[in-house]
């Protein structure tokens, strides 16, 4: 390639020659070129859809000049004849070049290309041009896709770093403006100087990709030892050159010894590489905490990034289909490095030495144990996926964290079971084989099996290719002075090896593996004075539940004593944990209500959850609060993936002089699509709401004080950045009324960044024997007789708290003369943005009351949609009331949405991961 960099326009002008050697046994009539830079060209590419699925708005809202593309492409074949080419209609990440003559096996063809590559902004993926004038160049050139199994492998750019380029030799002359410096992992000659450019000559052999960095002010530095030259700008937290050199040399030597010699002379380890895949956990700690030394942080960051780049640049595996092998080797090597160099390090570093944290399991677990907990986060939510699944099918948290960690844990599990460095030696052999041929998962499996006489089919069938969960427990245990008798129960019928430990005063006395535990087997072992036996004591096996894994052999066994922890903790399998958390809630009738929440929720979901929150109402001088008890049933192999059985209760004031007690038993069925990345959610819930209210002198015409309502709901939604659709049906049956309603919601973000929101609500009474409007459909503010909404002043009809807006039922913002419908209602709510978060809204519909004709109602105004459903303001302009903006006391007509509930706010930030 001859490349000229135009730093001002962010365009690379490229002249390229490809010598394509058909090394297959097939006769080719076309060649497929990867063009991943063109994935940035529009809002309809696979990459754009991926951003939308993961709720990243930046790409959709970006300016055209911030996107990338490939333009002005001309392809010339032999005899200087033009070759026709096309992009497949379904995606723009590939170019199919049609050959004029068939290309036979072992024949070569030379094609010449000229084109311009517009580089995108780096704010989307960290690849591209930066605001500081530099460029991180990745996937910017056209190159042949890998050919295997009689076809070119065609993977879309999904921001997964899994491009399938054919192995190539590169020779590149790149002209760079003199104000920029170039750094790369290709071999580089000293640049020649022209009037306005520096010309670099780059070359590399047997490569699938390479990195080029252009910087106006150099942040890179080079370290070289006998094995490889490392070019890095990894942030070093004030380490000196000698400290960094020691860390780099240590990591490079370790990787070479445990995996193999890096096949190229240079490797880049960039800060942007780390930021794309940081060490989860380490990067979550607040900046004001420094539980790890600067050297340790730099060492972990360098180790993780070096291993990632090392494996991506040297393994010839399919990076999408066999990604679990990349991840497994990387995390397995990282764990061995910590065992070898920092065996006593803790997950929270020096914080584990603080006296206040001593009782927390979070502070006591070893550094390497955190991998299991982060993986288990998804298992307990029933969102884990098989390790053998293609990388592009994984949800984001699995792709970047949970599955990656599970892969490394699985390698470590097999290593502990087989012993004798069989796994490590197999990795060495596999890496060596990789240098001579295109390897696959089958090669890795064959090498592992050839190095042991032990049956390890379970490892691939269960651990890699399934999402079966493992859960063992002791069925029966007895002991004598000298012997132990026990049997093991397999709770999930998934048979894999499990270790049994004998423990005395916290020390391991013995460890033995049971290859295939049988429920009919009674094991008889020497006791060796141990005081308890434990299954999977060091968590080598990725087991679903460790809380049932041990038995005390003492005379008075106390298998799990109670332990109280403040706020939150990791699950501790050896204790019944109860968390206590001070709380503070508010409504105008109870005032500020301080309380103490007691619950058993750890960082991992549990099958049974209790949450009790008594509080004191400072305004009413009485006690209040709520409680809930829930049992989760996860179905592993069904679209009906979760059933939740719950009962909850709450006791607060609904008026200045009156309280309510709500009891709510319920069953919720959650349904998901077979494709876990599909953002569609379905839910069916049935419940019985029992309400007992004190009579209030302040509230009149409010219906019965005590009532019971049966409620059934079905909810179906699909949400992403560009589109949202939801459908809701609701049936309510009480003693004096029955209602049926439905709601359809739709949101669309268009290519011009205009957004429309539409909602249709319709409801009708099946029967209605009530005399008040307490159970009626509301036009602008529901009475909330089921006490589902977080009203700060639910009985207020005037003042600020009466202006709180909750989108429900009629959904109107203006308060009209007929605010209720006791027969039927049908309304449409819509809004359209005119600039960023400023929207115009309009509502229209019909309401029907008994003994009255249906009435047409409407309103309109301005909506400040600052954070949808979390912080919004509505300014009425025109409605059935006339020009509201010109009427008196306009400030009393303004409506607001404010959400301060932490649980609700958390959903705003976690949806992109799950």
């Amino acid at each position: 390639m001859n490349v000229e960099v135009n730093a001002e326009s962010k365009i690379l002008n490229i002249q390229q020659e490809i010598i394509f050697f058909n090394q297959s046994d097939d006769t080719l009539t076309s060649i497929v070129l990867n063009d991943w830079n063109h994935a940035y060209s529009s809002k309809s590419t696979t990459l754009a859809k991926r951003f939308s699925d993961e709720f990243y708005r930046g790409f959709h809202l970006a300016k055209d000049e911030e996107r990338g593309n490939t333009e002005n492409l001309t392809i010339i074949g032999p005899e200087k004849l033009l070759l026709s080419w096309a992009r497949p209609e379904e995606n723009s990440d590939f170019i199919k070049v049609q050959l004029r003559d068939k290309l036979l096996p072992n024949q070569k063809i030379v094609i010449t290309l000229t084109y311009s590559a517009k580089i995108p902004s780096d704010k989307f993926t960290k690849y591209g041009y930066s605001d500081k004038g530099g460029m991180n160049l990745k996937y910017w050139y056209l190159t042949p896709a890998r050919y295997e199994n009689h076809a070119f492998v065609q993977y879309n750019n999904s921001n997964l770093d899994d491009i399938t380029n054919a192995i190539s030799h590169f020779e590149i002359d790149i002209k760079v403006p003199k104000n920029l410096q170039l750094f790369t992992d290709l071999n580089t000659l000293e640049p020649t100087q022209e009037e306005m450019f520096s010309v670099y000559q780059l070359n590399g052999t047997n490569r699938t990709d390479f990195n080029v960095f252009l910087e106006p002010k150099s942040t890179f530095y080079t370290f070289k030892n006998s094995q490889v030259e490392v070019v890095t700008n990894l942030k070093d937290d004030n380490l000196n050159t000698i400290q960094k050199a020691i860390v780099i040399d240590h990591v490079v030597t370790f990787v070479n010894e445990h995996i193999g010699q890096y096949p190229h002379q240079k490797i880049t380890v960039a800060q942007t590489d780390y930021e794309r895949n940081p060490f989860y956990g380490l990067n979550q700690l607040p900046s004001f905490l420094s539980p790890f030394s600067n050297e340790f942080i730099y060492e972990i960051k360098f180790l993780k990034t070096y291993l990632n780049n090392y494996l991506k640049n040297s393994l010839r595996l399919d990076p999408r289909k066999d990604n679990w092998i990349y991840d497994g080797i990387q995390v397995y090597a990282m764990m061995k490095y910590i065992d070898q160099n920092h065996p006593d390090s803790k997950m929270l570093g020096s914080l584990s030495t603080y006296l206040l944290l001593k009782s927390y399991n979070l502070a006591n677990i070893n550094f390497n144990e955190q991998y299991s907990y982060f993986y288990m986060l998804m298992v307990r939510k029933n969102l884990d996926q098989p390790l053998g699944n293609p990388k592009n099918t994984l949800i984001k948290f699995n792709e970047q964290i949970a599955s990656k960690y599970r892969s490394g844990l699985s390698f470590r599990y097999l290593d502990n079971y087989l012993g004798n460095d069989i796994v490590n030696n197999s990795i060495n052999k596999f890496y060596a084989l990789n240098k001579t041929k295109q390897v696959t998962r089958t090669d890795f499996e064959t090498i592992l099996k050839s190095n042991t006489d032990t049956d390890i089919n379970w490892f691939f069938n269960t651990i890699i290719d399934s999402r079966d969960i493992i859960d063992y427990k002791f069925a029966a245990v007895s002991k004598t002075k000298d012997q132990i008798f026990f049997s093991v129960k397999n709770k999930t019928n998934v048979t894999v090896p499990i270790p049994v430990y004998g423990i005395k005063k916290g020390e391991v006395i013995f460890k033995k593996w049971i290859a295939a535990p049988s429920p009919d087997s009674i094991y008889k072992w020497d006791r060796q004075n141990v005081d308890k036996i434990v299954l999977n004591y060091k968590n080598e096996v990725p087991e679903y539940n460790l809380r049932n894994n041990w038995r005390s052999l003492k005379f008075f066994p106390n298998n799990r004593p109670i332990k109280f922890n403040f706020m939150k903790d990791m699950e501790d399998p050896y204790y019944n944990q109860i968390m206590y958390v001070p709380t503070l809630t508010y409504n105008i009738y109870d005032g500020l209500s301080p309380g103490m929440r007691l619950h058993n929720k750890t960082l991992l979901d549990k099958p049974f959850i209790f949450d009790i929150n008594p509080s004191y109402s400072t305004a009413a001088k009485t006690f209040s609060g709520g409680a809930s008890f829930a049992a989760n049933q996860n179905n592993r192999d069904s679209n009906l993936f979760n059933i939740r059985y719950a009962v909850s209760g709450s006791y607060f004031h609904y008026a200045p002089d009156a309280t309510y007690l709500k009891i709510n038993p319920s069953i919720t069925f959650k349904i998901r699509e077979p494709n876990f990345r599909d953002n569609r959610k379905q839910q069916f819930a049935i419940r019985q709401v029992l309400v007992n209210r004190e009579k209030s002198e302040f509230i009149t015409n409010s219906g019965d004080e005590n009532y019971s309502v049966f409620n059934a709901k079905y909810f179906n939604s699909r949400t992403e950045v560009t589109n949202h659709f939801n459908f809701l049906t609701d049936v309510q049956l009480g003693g004096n009324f029955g209602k049926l309603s439905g709601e359809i919601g739709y949101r669309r973000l268009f290519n011009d960044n205009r957004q429309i929101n539409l909602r249709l609500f319709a409801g009708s009474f099946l029967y209605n024997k009530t005399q008040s409007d307490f159970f009626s459909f509301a036009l602008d503010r529901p009475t909330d007789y089921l006490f589902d909404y977080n009203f700060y002043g639910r009985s207020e009809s005037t003042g600020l708290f009466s202006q709180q807006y909750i989108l429900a039922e009629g959904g109107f913002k203006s308060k009209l003369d007929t605010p209720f419908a006791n027969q039927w209602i049908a309304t449409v709510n819509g809004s359209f943005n005119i600039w960023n978060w400023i929207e115009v809204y309009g509502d229209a519909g019909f309401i029907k009351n008994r003994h009255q004709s249906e009435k047409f109602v409407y309103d309109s105004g301005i909506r400040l949609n600052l954070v949808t459903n979390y912080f919004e303001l509505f300014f009425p302009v025109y409605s059935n009331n006339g020009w509201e903006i010109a009427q008196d006391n306009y400030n009393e007509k303004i409506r607001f949405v404010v959400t301060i509930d932490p649980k609700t706010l958390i959903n705003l930030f976690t949806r992109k991961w799950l």
Side-chain angles (χ1 to χ4, degrees), residues 137 586 698 879:
L137 299 180
Y586 176 78
F698 294 89
S879 69

Side-chain angles (χ1 to χ4, degrees), residues 805 813 841 862-863 872-876 893-895 897:
Y805 177 76
K813 290 78 182 175
Y841 73 80
I862 301 296
R863 175 191 187 191
E872 305 175 33
L873 293 173
F874 299 88
F875 297 87
K893 299 176 181 290
I894 298 171
R895 306 294 294 274
V897 173

Side-chain angles (χ1 to χ4, degrees), residues 423-573:
V423 170
N424 209 81
N425 292 335
S426 297
I427 291 173
N428 296 153
K429 290 182 179 179
F430 179 71
Y431 188 78
L433 178 66
N434 163 81
K435 293 181 179 181
T436 63
K437 58 172 283 190
Q438 177 73 41
V439 290
T440 65
R441 165 224 170 106
T442 303
D443 295 311
F444 185 62
E445 186 172 344
T446 300
I447 290 173
L448 266 173
K449 290 180 176 179
S450 68
N451 283 339
T452 179
D453 295 328
T454 305
D455 180 13
I456 58 171
N457 284 317
W458 56 267
F459 178 77
F460 296 96
N461 297 336
T462 301
I463 303 299
I464 303 301
D465 290 331
S466 81
R467 59 189 302 267
D468 295 339
I469 58 175
I470 303 162
D471 192 7
Y472 286 110
K473 64 177 290 186
F474 287 114
V477 176
S478 61
K479 86 275 187 187
T480 65
K481 181 179 180 181
D482 299 319
Q483 293 180 320
I484 309 168
F485 304 86
F486 66 89
S487 60
V488 177
K489 181 179 180 180
N490 186 342
K491 296 186 66 178
T492 59
N493 296 319
V494 176
T495 302
V496 297
I498 191 83
V500 180
Y501 286 81
I503 308 296
K504 181 178 181 181
K505 296 181 179 180
E507 297 292 328
V508 176
I509 304 302
F510 65 77
K511 171 190 176 184
K512 298 180 180 180
W513 283 90
I514 303 177
S518 167
D520 300 324
S521 299
I522 302 295
Y523 300 93
K524 174 184 173 183
W525 290 353
D526 291 339
R527 180 170 176 176
Q528 301 180 46
N529 294 320
V530 300
D531 52 38
K532 63 183 173 183
I533 56 173
V534 186
L535 293 165
N536 196 22
Y537 178 66
K538 294 191 175 180
N539 202 11
E540 295 108 319
V541 183
E543 202 174 0
Y544 184 76
N545 182 17
L546 299 177
R547 290 169 54 78
N548 55 11
N549 277 25
W550 66 290
R551 286 290 186 91
S552 174
L553 302 179
K554 295 179 181 178
F555 187 71
F556 294 108
N558 184 9
N559 275 340
R560 278 200 302 273
I562 293 176
K563 182 170 72 170
F564 288 90
N565 285 119
F566 178 64
M567 293 294 287
K568 205 89 165 179
D569 193 10
M570 283 285 196
E571 182 174 285
D572 191 332

Side-chain angles (χ1 to χ4, degrees), residues 244-387:
K244 289 184 286 189
I246 292 172
V247 167
I248 292 173
D249 183 71
H250 201 179
V251 169
V252 169
T253 301
F254 173 86
V255 173
N256 277 17
E257 290 176 353
H258 285 79
I259 301 177
Q261 180 68 41
Y262 187 65
H264 308 299
Q265 297 178 19
K266 294 168 64 177
I267 186 172
T268 54
V269 180
Q271 177 65 24
T272 53
D273 296 333
Y274 175 75
E275 290 172 356
R276 278 182 58 83
N277 291 286
F279 189 95
Y280 190 80
L282 201 65
N283 70 317
Q284 302 299 306
L285 294 172
S287 58
F288 63 85
L289 292 177
S290 299
F292 299 101
S293 67
N294 291 339
E295 291 90 342
F296 182 83
I297 292 175
Y298 182 80
E299 192 172 8
I300 294 300
K301 290 166 60 177
F302 183 84
L303 172 66
K304 186 178 192 302
T305 312
Y306 179 82
L307 274 167
N308 183 71
N309 293 358
Y310 169 98
L311 293 169
K312 293 295 184 184
N313 292 338
S314 56
L315 276 187
R316 302 181 188 179
L317 281 162
D318 187 312
R320 180 166 293 184
K321 186 171 63 177
D322 296 327
N323 183 68
W324 64 272
I325 299 180
Y326 287 96
D327 289 343
I329 295 175
Q330 181 193 28
V331 176
Y332 172 71
M334 291 178 66
M335 296 176 79
K336 287 184 74 71
Y337 184 90
I338 291 295
D339 286 339
Q340 181 175 308
N341 298 284
H342 304 281
D344 299 323
S345 59
K346 301 291 185 181
M347 178 180 175
L348 292 187
S350 61
L351 294 180
S352 62
T353 62
Y354 287 20
L355 184 62
L356 290 175
L357 299 177
K358 280 290 187 180
S359 63
Y360 286 84
N361 192 39
L362 181 65
N364 292 320
I365 66 173
N366 292 327
F367 191 87
N368 278 339
E369 289 184 81
Q370 64 185 300
Y371 295 105
S372 178
Y373 278 97
F374 288 132
Y375 153 67
M376 197 57 65
L377 281 173
M378 302 307 285
V379 181
R380 293 288 184 88
K381 293 181 183 297
N382 203 7
L383 287 172
D384 58 302
Q385 296 170 269
L387 299 181

